[in-house]
Amino acid sequence: MWGALLRRGVGGGGLRCLSSGGPPWSQVVSEAEKIVGYPTSFMSLRCLLSDELSNIAMQVRKLVGTKHPLLDTARGFVYDSRNNLQMRGLVVLLISKAAGPSTADLSFQHDMVSGIYSSQRSLAEITELIHTAFLVHRGIVNIGELKSCDGPLKDMQFGNKMAVLSGDFLLANACTSLAQLQNTKVVELISSAIGDLVQGIYYENSKSSEENCLTDDIGISRWKEQVFLRHSALLAKSCQAAMELAKHSAEIQDMAFQYGKHMSMSHKLHSDLQPFVKETSSDTMAFSLNSAPAILHQEFRGREAWLKQIREAQGKGNIVDYKKLQEAIKAGKGVTSAIDLCRCHGNRALAALERFPPSEARDALANIVYAVTRFP
């Protein structure tokens, strides 16, 4: 189904097809940061070094030695070897530079630095703040599901308070900066993206809280709808908003939206596939039973056959033998179909880029797609 799209590629606009490969992720990010003018690892530095957040950070230090997930999130801000935390802001800056100034209104060109408007840089920071706020909020633990091995209850309760407080602070700063852009359509776009995030995470949490719910009874179409809400909506609508700030046409705005949507879908699929395609891993990685390869495996095998495989992989205490399930999924069509789907979305992202003029920024956006569609 996706193979035909994969073989067709994106046409004759200078971008190579996915089968040609590309540079590794770290090189892609490093080169892209040079194009936009500064490292996006400092994207939210002004907010993160504010007095208010510094006070919160001092309180978070009290969690050191506990098992609260907020600590893992905080560590990710300091060291993120995949540069995933700042990817969204980087893409917003790149697509802003790739589109350039609109021919409809040249009066704001004096406000451009490295080919990017100051309002677009602010938007990139806003996007990162929103994403970071939701990452922090997702670190809140369900007190009712804690076990004795998770540590003292008071540590988890304190960690939850800090997660709520710091996440709310970041989100409030993002909303304040959003209002300062003074663009009603941009406010509407980003507000709707926040709503999409809330809806997607609410659905995810409501399903995971159901008794004995190990895997959802959904097909890949429904899976893609949910992934769009949780992972793609913010980037897609931020890319569109960046074009609106530069007063680009509705067509260019839609192409920016399509790039953000399909690139982030490829990114999510690439992440879901890692437990199944990594060659150097000696230990089997735990993976979500609602990941793309598992959902596609369920589609091919049937719901009842998949549930039977899960039951057969459960040992004492309902502990899942992920190695056994991994082998079952790899023996079927789930992994190859997920790779095809990842590359299909990659090709659609490249097709959207064809509407932008050739430039270093466009090439960098294409390289991001090549990086998230490369497999061993």
Side-chain angles (χ1 to χ4, degrees), residues 15-16 23 25 27-36 90-91 93-95 97-98 259 263 350 353 359-371:
L15 296 176
R16 63 186 184 274
W25 178 262
Q27 182 182 338
V28 167
V29 172
S30 176
E31 292 176 354
E33 287 179 336
K34 293 175 184 175
I35 292 171
V36 299
L90 178 59
V91 169
L93 293 176
L94 284 172
I95 207 159
K97 185 163 186 172
Y259 175 83
M263 190 283 292
L350 293 178
L353 284 183
S359 66
E360 281 187 326
R362 191 185 81 162
D363 290 343
L365 289 166
N367 282 336
I368 289 175
V369 176
Y370 300 139

Side-chain angles (χ1 to χ4, degrees), residues 25-72:
W25 178 262
S26 58
Q27 182 182 338
V28 167
V29 172
S30 176
E31 292 176 354
E33 287 179 336
K34 293 175 184 175
I35 292 171
V36 299
Y38 61 85
T40 50
S41 55
F42 297 104
M43 186 80 70
S44 309
L45 198 58
R46 286 180 298 173
C47 178
L48 293 175
L49 292 182
S50 65
D51 290 338
E52 294 90 340
L53 202 59
S54 294
N55 291 332
I56 295 174
M58 290 295 291
Q59 297 298 318
V60 172
R61 287 181 62 184
K62 296 177 181 178
L63 291 172
V64 173
T66 72
K67 296 183 179 179
H68 198 283
L70 179 59
L71 280 177
D72 293 330

Side-chain angles (χ1 to χ4, degrees), residues 47 129-130 133 165-178:
C47 178
L129 284 175
I130 294 170
L165 181 61
S166 51
D168 285 353
F169 174 80
L170 293 170
L171 197 56
N173 271 268
C175 292
T176 301
S177 298
L178 183 61

Side-chain angles (χ1 to χ4, degrees), residues 57-121:
M58 290 295 291
Q59 297 298 318
V60 172
R61 287 181 62 184
K62 296 177 181 178
L63 291 172
V64 173
T66 72
K67 296 183 179 179
H68 198 283
L70 179 59
L71 280 177
D72 293 330
T73 304
R75 289 189 194 101
F77 299 147
V78 179
Y79 177 72
D80 175 32
S81 61
R82 289 282 295 169
N83 296 283
N84 288 331
L85 288 177
Q86 304 294 339
M87 180 196 73
R88 289 157 184 81
L90 178 59
V91 169
V92 171
L93 293 176
L94 284 172
I95 207 159
S96 298
K97 185 163 186 172
S102 170
T103 55
D105 191 345
L106 302 178
S107 60
F108 296 105
Q109 285 199 30
H110 66 278
D111 193 33
M112 298 183 83
V113 178
S114 297
I116 304 169
Y117 291 111
S118 61
S119 60
Q120 292 172 322
R121 292 188 183 274

Side-chain angles (χ1 to χ4, degrees), residues 111-332:
D111 193 33
M112 298 183 83
V113 178
S114 297
I116 304 169
Y117 291 111
S118 61
S119 60
Q120 292 172 322
R121 292 188 183 274
S122 296
L123 176 64
E125 293 181 5
I126 290 166
T127 302
E128 285 302 337
L129 284 175
I130 294 170
H131 175 62
T132 304
F134 275 86
L135 279 181
V136 172
H137 276 159
R138 294 186 75 167
I140 298 172
V141 299
N142 188 340
I143 298 296
E145 295 180 355
L146 290 177
K147 301 175 183 177
S148 57
C149 61
D150 293 322
L153 177 62
K154 63 181 179 64
D155 289 341
M156 292 298 164
Q157 290 174 329
F158 179 74
N160 278 359
K161 290 178 182 178
M162 288 298 100
V164 171
L165 181 61
S166 51
D168 285 353
F169 174 80
L170 293 170
L171 197 56
N173 271 268
C175 292
T176 301
S177 298
L178 183 61
Q180 290 171 349
L181 292 178
Q182 298 182 335
N183 187 303
T184 304
K185 184 175 179 181
V186 170
V187 171
E188 181 182 342
L189 280 168
I190 303 303
S191 299
S192 67
I194 294 173
D196 291 337
L197 272 166
V198 172
Q199 183 181 344
I201 293 170
Y202 176 81
Y203 179 84
E204 180 182 49
N205 291 340
S206 64
K207 294 297 290 183
S208 63
S209 63
E210 292 178 7
E211 188 175 2
N212 298 324
C213 180
L214 287 172
T215 177
D216 292 348
D217 185 12
I218 60 172
I220 195 63
S221 296
R222 181 63 177 154
W223 179 88
K224 288 197 288 185
E225 291 174 7
Q226 294 173 12
V227 166
F228 173 78
L229 294 173
R230 296 197 303 268
H231 296 276
S232 301
L234 178 60
L235 180 57
K237 293 181 179 181
S238 293
C239 289
Q240 181 180 352
M243 300 300 98
E244 166 63 24
L245 287 171
K247 302 186 184 301
H248 283 289
S249 66
E251 180 189 8
I252 293 298
Q253 289 185 35
D254 182 58
M255 289 301 101
F257 176 92
Q258 295 300 326
Y259 175 83
K261 172 185 175 181
H262 292 294
M263 190 283 292
S264 55
M265 290 292 289
S266 287
H267 186 271
K268 171 60 176 169
L269 284 155
H270 187 271
S271 176
D272 279 5
L273 279 158
Q274 290 312 295
F276 303 92
V277 298
K278 277 196 172 181
E279 294 178 335
T280 58
S281 178
S282 56
D283 298 323
T284 301
M285 298 169 60
F287 57 90
S288 170
L289 298 183
N290 292 319
S291 63
I295 294 297
L296 286 162
H297 178 74
Q298 177 180 260
E299 276 202 347
F300 287 114
R301 291 279 299 176
R303 174 71 173 171
E304 290 304 317
W306 173 225
L307 290 177
K308 182 181 178 183
Q309 288 181 325
I310 293 175
R311 287 192 294 268
E312 290 173 348
Q314 286 179 313
K316 292 182 179 180
N318 287 331
I319 298 175
V320 177
D321 182 351
Y322 283 97
K323 183 174 180 59
K324 191 171 183 178
L325 284 180
Q326 186 187 70
E327 290 172 351
I329 293 173
K330 290 171 75 171

